[in-house]
Amino acid sequence: MSRSRPSPLPFNVLSSPARRMAMATLLLGCPLAVQAQDDVAQSDTVVVTATALKVVTPLAETPRSVSSVSREELEERNVQSLDESFRYRSGVLSGQYGSDNNTDWLKVRGFDQATYLDGLRVYRTGYYQWLPEPYGLDRVDVFKGPASILYGEAPSGGLVNAVSKRPTAEKRGEIEIQVGNRSHRQFGIDTSGPVTESGDVRYRFVGLYKERDGDLNDTENERVYFAPSLEWDISADTQLTVLASYQKDDGIPENPFKLAYGTVQDTPFGKVDPETNYGAPDYDKDEHTQTAIGYEFEHQLDDTWKFEQDFRYSKLDLDLRSTYMDFATGDGRTAYRGHLQRDGDIDSATIDNRMVGKWYTARTENTLLVGVDYQDLSLDGKEFDNFTYDTVDIFDPDTSITPVPDSALTGRKIDKQQLGLYVQDQLRIDDSWVLLGAVRYDNADVRSESKRYDVVVDETQSAVSWSGGVMYLGDNGLNPYLSYTESFQPVAQLSATGAGFDDIEGEQWELGTKYAPTGWDGYVTAAVFDIKESNSFATTAGGYQAQEGERTATGFEIEGVGYLTQSLQLTAAYTYTDARDKNDDRAALIPRHMASAWLDYDFEGTALNGLKVGAGIRHVGESVDGSITVPDYTVGDAMASYDLNDHWTAQVNVNNVTDEEYVASCDYWCYYGESRSVIGSLKYRW
């Protein structure tokens, strides 16, 4: 999603027929149910290569680029929001819009991405943002590039899947207290174990209270979160897991929108302070509540077939008042402020049914997946937008504002029902070749109604998407591969004039290799990619989103996680991305170069037993916004933890150690990067 107004609403897009027939023979004869092995991290519908900190023999048999961040790493870096998860992985740009307390911002390979929770999509549109709480997650995965084949609607960048914590067979728990700068205070509890003596029923309860000030003056957020879950082994062949969550945020929104004038451009009045808030903190508010309940069911029918079903119902309530910098008046000193309001809710129900079959011959191993999924999504609310609500002094803003009368808000409704059918197959030959292929059909009924523009868009859309790949499994652990994937995304949002948008289509070719030799506790992956997207969105000179034709991204990625010694671990990544707009000019926001490295050392077995230290560096190259060049920047992070005994652990994390002041990106507006963060924690485990 671009940070602009109005935000497009992703639904489902008709994929391009180009190259599909050329791929058909390969795809229909190939498989795409990525097979799980003993050492595979798996989130049911999303099966990915495990990338835990100690990886002996990771599953490296998927001809797609996938990165994963484990619970251990989330804790070590004290990740506070979803978009912080991939700071040390290739292909993912995060923090490009600076600090934000009500949205996660990510770009994958130069494009937007979709967010999933436990393999089912969460409905996020415009300012209605479902925010996964990192404390409640066991792992976060990112699939890079178009990924519609199993998940239907998806942007060209791919998808992020957040995997919730699950019940455990052993009894355990923890209590954690955190304090930090910007008035950070957090209390968390996580307890799990068996309910019955036999252990066939298990539970987990995760709870959190957190409050913190924003990077901008007079902004803040307070969060209450809890997530109970229950797992029941109904029989030796049948298991049911029930997952629920509740999260309430109450705060004053951060709007880090600033002009190039005063950030990357000099002025007679100097530069704008990064903490400058152009909002109205005494009037603005962000009350956000999200609840969900669902289950994961699986039943082994016989030695060949297994049935799986995932379901979730979720509801998101939002009451938002937000004031932001818009555009300069032209007098060199003042600018217009925009003001928006959203008051409504989203209801969504999603179900995914799958039959998984596996059979063998003397030379082959075949896995077939046949699935049907259905989504019923609706948004019902009121909204207000005024892009020139008042004016403000750029360098000395008055944060007061004239209230908006309730009568000024107008109705907004979106309804969508989508049915998807998919088949995927994986064929492993002689333990040397993996062939993958899939086809999916989607049909979506989308209705978008706006009282503000007095228009109704009512459409029925269908799409067919393809995916395929081939990989060679080398005896030395080097596995080269080639793959092709597509994505489709209809847009039910309306433009600034009340008109509809065209469907967005994406396709990607990828050539790569994965290296995970036996005997080395680590992995290295590398890939080159070529993505094309039609009907792409771009931010216009007026700050609005418009579709401006084809956009492309070609690039190279390499990342690795591994132990250099028994105590020293390195996580490193490099990304080169050449993103181009319809005129073949460099696309805004996206740097050509990104690099990161994190080292941590465990003093186990030494006189400093119990001590662990880590440090990282993140470099983001220069980016552009038309004729504006945004300089590159480099920031450092550090951590230290100490096990006081078998139960108590103290830890401190510092992000942006030197408190570097930098502009993270420009896309019509410009955004300062997040300031230094210092958080100390004390944890008790049993």
Side-chain angles (χ1 to χ4, degrees):
M1 180 194 304
S2 298
R3 182 159 194 161
S4 49
R5 22 156 254 271
S7 298
L9 175 63
F11 279 105
N12 198 342
V13 163
L14 300 177
S15 60
S16 168
R19 302 182 183 172
R20 289 198 305 214
M21 296 310 297
M23 293 289 292
T25 303
L26 170 65
L27 298 175
L28 292 177
C30 299
L32 210 162
V34 180
Q35 178 179 334
Q37 295 180 350
D38 291 342
D39 57 345
V40 173
Q42 181 172 338
S43 59
D44 296 313
T45 56
V46 181
V47 182
V48 302
T49 303
T51 54
L53 297 179
K54 282 196 172 185
V55 183
V56 178
T57 53
L59 180 63
E61 300 177 7
T62 308
R64 291 289 308 274
S65 287
V66 180
S67 294
S68 182
V69 179
S70 68
R71 179 69 224 167
E72 183 179 357
E73 186 174 352
L74 293 173
E75 291 181 357
E76 181 176 308
R77 293 196 284 107
N78 197 9
V79 169
Q80 293 291 313
S81 61
L82 186 69
D83 49 7
E84 292 183 14
S85 303
F86 300 106
R87 285 178 170 175
Y88 289 91
R89 294 296 186 271
S90 66
V92 183
L93 175 65
S94 64
Q96 70 271 22
Y97 296 123
S99 178
D100 199 330
N101 57 13
N102 63 7
T103 309
D104 296 314
W105 296 108
L106 293 166
K107 291 282 187 178
V108 181
R109 291 185 169 177
F111 295 93
D112 293 334
Q113 47 74 41
T115 301
Y116 281 70
L117 179 64
D118 300 317
L120 296 175
R121 182 160 186 173
V122 294
Y123 188 38
R124 305 170 70 166
T125 177
Y127 300 94
Y128 293 83
Q129 294 289 305
W130 187 282
L131 303 174
E133 167 51 49
Y135 188 72
L137 302 180
D138 186 64
R139 194 180 73 256
V140 186
D141 308 319
V142 57
F143 278 42
K144 304 172 188 176
S148 287
I149 191 61
L150 293 180
Y151 311 104
E153 57 186 271
S156 303
L159 65 90
V160 168
N161 183 48
V163 182
S164 301
K165 290 178 176 178
R166 309 300 172 93
T168 59
E170 72 281 2
K171 184 178 180 180
R172 69 183 193 186
E174 71 173 37
I175 294 175
E176 182 182 43
I177 299 173
Q178 294 185 359
V179 295
N181 68 333
R182 289 166 35 198
S183 300
H184 175 88
R185 291 183 293 273
Q186 178 174 314
F187 174 81
I189 183 171
D190 180 2
T191 178
S192 63
V195 175
T196 59
E197 290 186 7
S198 64
D200 60 337
V201 180
R202 300 167 293 278
Y203 84 97
R204 190 159 191 169
F205 178 83
V206 183
L208 176 85
Y209 173 81
K210 175 167 59 178
E211 58 182 39
R212 194 180 197 191
D213 293 343
D215 246 4
L216 303 185
N217 294 327
D218 303 316
T219 59
E220 62 186 18
N221 190 69
E222 179 183 43
R223 172 173 295 176
V224 175
Y225 166 85
F226 59 85
S229 57
L230 194 70
E231 195 169 73
W232 179 23
D233 297 331
I234 301 174
S235 70
D237 297 321
T238 309
Q239 185 180 83
L240 174 68
T241 302
V242 179
L243 300 163
S245 65
Y246 170 88
Q247 182 172 311
K248 180 175 177 57
D249 288 85
D250 188 356
I252 300 171
E254 288 184 88
N255 280 316
F257 300 79
K258 291 179 172 63
L259 303 178
Y261 180 76
T263 54
V264 295
Q265 295 175 344
D266 292 329
T267 77
F269 311 101
K271 292 293 183 70
V272 173
D273 190 298
E275 297 180 359
T276 299
N277 183 10
Y278 294 112
D282 292 333
Y283 182 68
D284 290 352
K285 66 175 180 177
D286 182 15
E287 296 178 1
H288 172 284
T289 303
Q290 58 189 47
T291 55
I293 186 167
Y295 64 82
E296 297 173 350
F297 175 82
E298 61 179 48
H299 176 67
Q300 189 72 43
L301 299 171
D302 53 34
D303 292 339
T304 302
W305 289 99
K306 179 167 67 172
F307 172 72
E308 300 174 342
Q309 184 182 80
D310 296 343
F311 169 81
R312 183 172 63 240
Y313 168 78
S314 59
K315 184 178 181 65
L316 189 156
D317 291 292
L318 178 67
D319 187 359
L320 174 68
R321 295 199 296 245
S322 188
T323 310
Y324 56 93
M325 162 69 72
D326 206 336
F327 57 93
T329 62
D331 64 6
R333 183 76 195 196
T334 63
Y336 290 106
R337 286 196 309 181
H339 183 78
L340 64 91
Q341 295 193 17
R342 298 292 185 270
D343 186 1
D345 56 70
I346 288 178
D347 286 277
S348 64
T350 305
I351 190 167
D352 187 12
N353 305 277
R354 304 176 298 279
M355 289 290 293
V356 183
K358 182 179 291 187
W359 57 91
Y360 307 85
T361 69
R363 298 180 55 195
T364 65
E365 178 179 332
N366 194 83
T367 304
L368 176 67
L369 171 64
V370 180
V372 179
D373 60 34
Y374 176 75
Q375 300 179 52
D376 191 327
L377 311 169
S378 66
L379 182 155
D380 188 356
K382 295 180 179 180
E383 61 184 33
F384 172 86
D385 283 283
N386 188 320
F387 308 128
T388 56
Y389 192 76
D390 59 16
T391 60
V392 66
D393 189 312
I394 297 172
F395 303 93
D396 186 20
D398 178 0
T399 58
S400 63
I401 194 172
T402 302
V404 176
D406 292 341
S407 59
L409 276 68
T410 56
R412 181 77 167 102
K413 290 185 178 181
I414 298 173
D415 291 288
K416 176 205 161 192
Q417 295 80 39
Q418 178 182 332
L419 179 68
L421 310 173
Y422 56 91
V423 179
Q424 59 179 17
D425 195 57
Q426 171 181 333
L427 180 65
R428 182 182 174 120
I429 305 174
D430 293 333
D431 290 330
S432 296
W433 292 94
V434 175
L435 303 178
L436 300 156
V439 60
R440 178 184 175 102
Y441 171 79
D442 281 278
N443 182 271
D445 294 320
V446 182
R447 179 182 176 87
S448 181
E449 179 180 350
S450 173
K451 296 296 184 181
R452 176 185 175 193
Y453 297 113
D454 194 26
V455 296
V456 175
V457 177
D458 201 346
E459 295 180 311
T460 297
Q461 302 173 340
S462 60
V464 176
S465 60
W466 301 82
S467 178
V470 58
M471 171 180 276
Y472 176 75
L473 306 178
D475 294 335
N476 59 356
L478 191 65
N479 303 340
Y481 66 89
L482 173 68
S483 69
Y484 171 79
T485 56
E486 295 180 343
S487 66
F488 50 90
Q489 182 186 357
V491 183
Q493 187 78 357
L494 302 177
S495 72
T497 61
F501 290 114
D502 294 328
D503 302 330
I504 302 173
E505 306 167 5
E507 61 177 37
Q508 172 184 265
W509 286 92
E510 180 178 317
L511 176 66
T513 188
K514 301 183 179 184
Y515 182 57
T518 302
W520 181 53
D521 196 356
Y523 76 92
V524 177
T525 65
V528 292
F529 59 88
D530 183 4
I531 303 176
K532 292 182 181 179
E533 180 182 86
S534 64
N535 300 322
S536 297
F537 278 96
T539 305
T540 67
Y544 305 101
Q545 285 197 321
Q547 289 182 305
E548 296 190 347
E550 185 177 87
R551 182 171 174 175
T552 64
T554 58
F556 167 74
E557 298 171 356
I558 184 169
E559 75 174 47
V561 178
Y563 276 81
L564 306 181
T565 70
Q566 288 186 340
S567 301
L568 182 64
Q569 179 188 305
L570 171 66
T571 301
Y574 169 76
T575 305
Y576 172 82
T577 307
D578 185 17
R580 299 277 174 172
D581 63 18
K582 66 169 185 175
N583 299 318
D584 201 32
D585 296 325
R586 283 187 63 186
L589 292 174
I590 310 303
R592 282 202 173 110
H593 302 278
M594 294 190 296
S596 64
W598 177 277
L599 276 170
D600 58 65
Y601 188 84
D602 193 334
F603 287 85
E604 183 179 3
T606 71
L608 297 175
N609 187 58
L611 177 64
K612 185 175 185 179
V613 296
I617 189 168
R618 296 177 278 125
H619 174 79
V620 177
E622 71 173 27
S623 59
V624 300
D625 180 21
S627 61
I628 296 173
T629 298
V630 181
D632 62 345
Y633 63 90
T634 302
V635 296
D637 308 319
M639 65 78 61
S641 67
Y642 183 69
D643 295 331
L644 303 173
N645 54 39
D646 291 340
H647 299 288
W648 291 94
T649 299
Q651 181 171 316
V652 62
N653 289 82
V654 184
N655 292 333
N656 190 359
V657 173
T658 60
D659 202 17
E660 188 77 12
E661 183 181 304
Y662 62 95
V663 174
S665 69
C666 292
D667 183 16
Y668 179 73
W669 294 284
C670 293
Y671 312 90
Y672 280 110
E674 187 170 5
S675 66
R676 178 165 52 207
S677 168
V678 182
I679 298 176
S681 61
L682 183 63
K683 183 179 298 183
Y684 177 79
R685 285 194 173 103
W686 66 87

